Amino acid sequence: YDEDLISDKLDKCPSEKGSVKANGCPDKDNDGVGDSEDECPKDPGRKSSNGCPDEDKDKIWGKADKCPDKPGKKDNAGCPDTD
């Protein structure tokens, strides 16, 4: 139906054209995480980080990381402890 060349039996989004990596669902940033499950659909990331980049590698990503360029702790919203 959606002409994405993925069998409708295997297509998680059979009414929308999508990518093979995202199991037939739309994936604007082409990171393999479908837009409906991607917390950062405009920025490529990993499946393990819900589609968001984790540049500082602190395992905190998306809106939860208030300091995405500096590693920090979860209880500090992803920011380094400064005291």
Side-chain angles (χ1 to χ4, degrees):
Y1 290 110
D2 57 16
E3 299 179 3
D4 61 9
L5 305 176
I6 298 168
S7 166
D8 286 341
K9 283 195 286 186
L10 303 174
D11 196 333
K12 287 190 175 182
C13 301
S15 62
E16 299 176 87
K17 190 172 184 175
S19 76
V20 173
K21 288 183 354 183
N23 298 314
C25 293
D27 183 15
K28 289 182 191 111
D29 58 12
N30 200 30
D31 61 3
V33 182
D35 291 341
S36 64
E37 298 174 356
D38 197 329
E39 289 182 23
C40 303
K42 294 180 182 176
D43 302 307
R46 297 177 182 257
K47 287 184 181 186
S48 62
S49 59
N50 299 335
C52 292
D54 187 17
E55 302 297 331
D56 57 11
K57 297 179 179 35
D58 60 4
K59 297 184 181 172
I60 303 164
W61 50 84
K63 295 176 184 175
D65 196 344
K66 301 299 180 197
C67 299
D69 298 329
K70 299 175 186 171
K73 294 185 178 184
K74 188 174 185 175
D75 59 345
N76 207 29
C79 292
D81 191 0
T82 58
D83 53 317

